[in-house]
Amino acid sequence: MDVEAVLQKILPRIRPTDEERAFVEDLMRELETIAEETIESLGLDVKPYFVGSLAKDTYLAGDHDVDLFLAFPLDTPLEELREKGLRLGKTIAERLDSYEIAYAEHPYVRARYRGVKVDLVPCYDVESWRDVKTAVDRSILHNRWVFENLRGRNDEVRLLKRFLKGINAYGSEIYVRGFSGYLAEILVIKYGSFLEVLENADFMLRQKIIDPGNWLKREHEVAMKTVRREAEADRPLIVIDPVDPRRNVAANLGWERYGFFYFKARQFLENPSEGFFFPKEKTAGNYILELRRKGTHLVTLVFRAPDMVDDILLPQLERSARGFEKALTREGFKVLGWNVGHEGSKAFIMLEVDRRERERMMIKPGPEFFTERGRDFYRKNDRVWIIGKRLFAEKVVREGIVEVIPELLEKNQVAMGKSVRENIRDAGIMLDYVPKELENEAYLFLSREKWNLKG
């Protein structure tokens, strides 16, 4: 099947239907009315703006998350914006189905209405990058820029987003480190279509700097400061935000996720198929058979997961896994890979190691050399010496990794994330065994199916 035939089969699956569009438009009208009535009832000078993929019409079929930003005048003090913004969000949410308070740079309200997630986020009513005071303020400018520049290529963005989701490279969250929706929109605007973005996967990596807003000419010094900072941080791409020369849109994009995109783009162009967009779920094998095939061992620490969002929890777990890798390497174990995550209320760290036990030389103190026990000690040991009146010998001992880890923890010799440190100290430690709910995770980790570029 050629590329165009594949894309024509994918588009009806990812493009919202007329019924879906009618639902979304009706939903947004209702929310806007509720927001405006609430703003008026509280006597506030606030403008409601819809931002994000729903507002830009780049959303995928079935993905209806709403971002409703509540824009305060620029002269509002930050503390007042936080306080009044949260109160306004809660008052709006009380007319919806349910809500909870969430936290980012400042508190916002996460609600549900008619089965859809609705984020109510306070921000400043900015007109340019010079007005930006908080990280979320740019979203209003992002929407305007995409509206002005997309020019009917909405389905091309949908194709790129679905492709990135299919190859597991979508999402700028810190625990994903992939492509954001806004970055996908910029790339389509820059290169013209989904296929042209894929065809430029190698070029954009070598070019490194993408400047769709022409900031390197318009605000050279500011833009160059961004370029130097991001180049020093060794980012795969530097995409200067077309609405703010101080920001790299691709700052959260990691090398691994770009690598997924790099290889999968080439594979798709050479051999296109629907599987890139909608991959079959990987059938998990048996992790014990995988251990036997490789001749390696699996150490798993399972502990209570702290109550925190993934953006905070997962980097803490990753830091801890790297800490175990360094500490165990110092102790003579080779760590071949690690994996972290959480299932329900439990978090886990998996470490694939080369051995269960290590041999270690210890100095064994003996009795005084001129005693009966001294003569016996001399006969039983090969390498023996005297210090003062006492005998000493070398002794080889075997230590298991399950015994070594608690010793390292007790001696504070593992660098761990501060929010998970105490929980890890109380972890259950398992060798070559995992609880039933982690069996698939263990197989995907050990087989590298989770990251396999050719799978």
Side-chain angles (χ1 to χ4, degrees), residues 1 5-7 9-10 13 268 271-279:
M1 194 181 293
V6 170
L7 299 187
K9 291 189 77 174
I10 294 298
R13 298 176 67 180
F268 176 79
N271 188 19
S273 80
E274 293 176 68
F276 287 89
F277 298 89
F278 294 99

Side-chain angles (χ1 to χ4, degrees), residues 209 216 219-229 240 245:
I209 302 165
L216 286 168
E219 290 284 349
H220 183 73
E221 282 188 28
V222 178
M224 277 309 299
K225 188 175 179 181
T226 302
V227 169
R228 284 191 290 269
R229 181 191 71 230
I240 304 174

Side-chain angles (χ1 to χ4, degrees), residues 111-129:
R112 290 198 75 80
Y113 185 59
R114 294 176 62 182
V116 174
K117 186 169 76 107
V118 181
D119 283 351
L120 301 161
V121 184
C123 68
Y124 284 102
D125 192 8
V126 298
E127 289 296 328
S128 85
W129 64 276

Side-chain angles (χ1 to χ4, degrees), residues 171-178 252 257 309-315 318:
S172 61
E173 299 87 350
I174 197 149
Y175 57 91
V176 179
R177 299 184 180 92
N252 282 356
R257 299 296 160 178
V309 296
D310 284 359
D311 267 5
I312 298 171
L313 173 59
L314 290 168
E318 290 175 356

Side-chain angles (χ1 to χ4, degrees), residues 166-389:
I167 65 170
N168 198 22
Y170 186 76
S172 61
E173 299 87 350
I174 197 149
Y175 57 91
V176 179
R177 299 184 180 92
F179 292 73
S180 69
Y182 180 48
L183 178 54
E185 291 159 354
I186 289 173
L187 293 177
V188 167
I189 290 168
K190 166 75 176 171
Y191 294 105
S193 71
F194 162 68
L195 288 176
E196 286 173 295
V197 172
L198 266 55
E199 286 163 0
N200 279 282
D202 182 60
F203 171 74
M204 69 175 82
L205 191 64
R206 285 185 284 109
Q207 185 191 32
K208 195 79 173 180
I209 302 165
I210 298 172
D211 182 21
N214 206 22
W215 289 116
L216 286 168
K217 284 188 179 176
R218 292 164 55 202
E219 290 284 349
H220 183 73
E221 282 188 28
V222 178
M224 277 309 299
K225 188 175 179 181
T226 302
V227 169
R228 284 191 290 269
R229 181 191 71 230
E230 296 298 292
E232 194 175 319
D234 191 30
R235 312 288 190 205
L237 294 182
I238 300 169
V239 182
I240 304 174
D241 193 332
V243 306
D244 190 340
R246 300 168 300 179
R247 178 173 179 262
N248 175 16
V249 178
N252 282 356
L253 176 62
W255 280 101
E256 294 87 351
R257 299 296 160 178
Y258 195 88
F260 270 41
F261 171 69
Y262 181 89
F263 282 102
K264 296 296 184 182
R266 181 54 47 200
Q267 288 168 28
F268 176 79
L269 292 169
E270 290 172 358
N271 188 19
S273 80
E274 293 176 68
F276 287 89
F277 298 89
F278 294 99
K280 291 176 183 172
E281 194 169 334
K282 293 185 186 295
T283 52
N286 188 310
Y287 75 95
I288 294 174
L289 293 179
E290 197 62 25
L291 285 170
R292 287 177 187 161
R293 178 184 76 82
K294 301 174 80 172
T296 59
H297 298 277
L298 177 66
V299 178
T300 305
L301 291 86
V302 179
F303 47 93
R304 183 179 60 79
D307 184 17
M308 55 181 64
V309 296
D310 284 359
D311 267 5
I312 298 171
L313 173 59
L314 290 168
Q316 297 270 315
L317 295 177
E318 290 175 356
R319 172 175 163 75
S320 304
R322 286 192 291 269
F324 278 107
E325 181 179 26
K326 286 180 183 174
L328 288 169
T329 300
R330 286 195 304 266
E331 295 296 316
F333 296 93
K334 190 171 183 179
V335 178
L336 305 171
W338 52 260
N339 183 33
V340 300
H342 64 89
E343 283 285 333
S345 63
K346 297 290 184 184
F348 63 85
I349 296 173
M350 293 180 180
L351 303 156
E352 185 182 8
V353 294
D354 64 333
R355 66 190 71 193
R356 297 168 59 111
E357 297 177 316
R358 65 173 181 188
E359 287 191 347
R360 190 177 178 192
M361 189 67 68
M362 294 183 66
I363 305 301
K364 185 167 108 178
E368 293 174 332
F369 70 86
F370 45 79
T371 63
E372 186 62 38
R373 286 177 57 241
R375 289 188 287 274
D376 191 46
F377 184 89
Y378 175 79
R379 281 194 298 273
K380 288 180 178 177
N381 291 283
D382 291 332
R383 185 163 295 187
V384 188
W385 63 95
I386 300 173
I387 298 177
K389 295 186 287 185

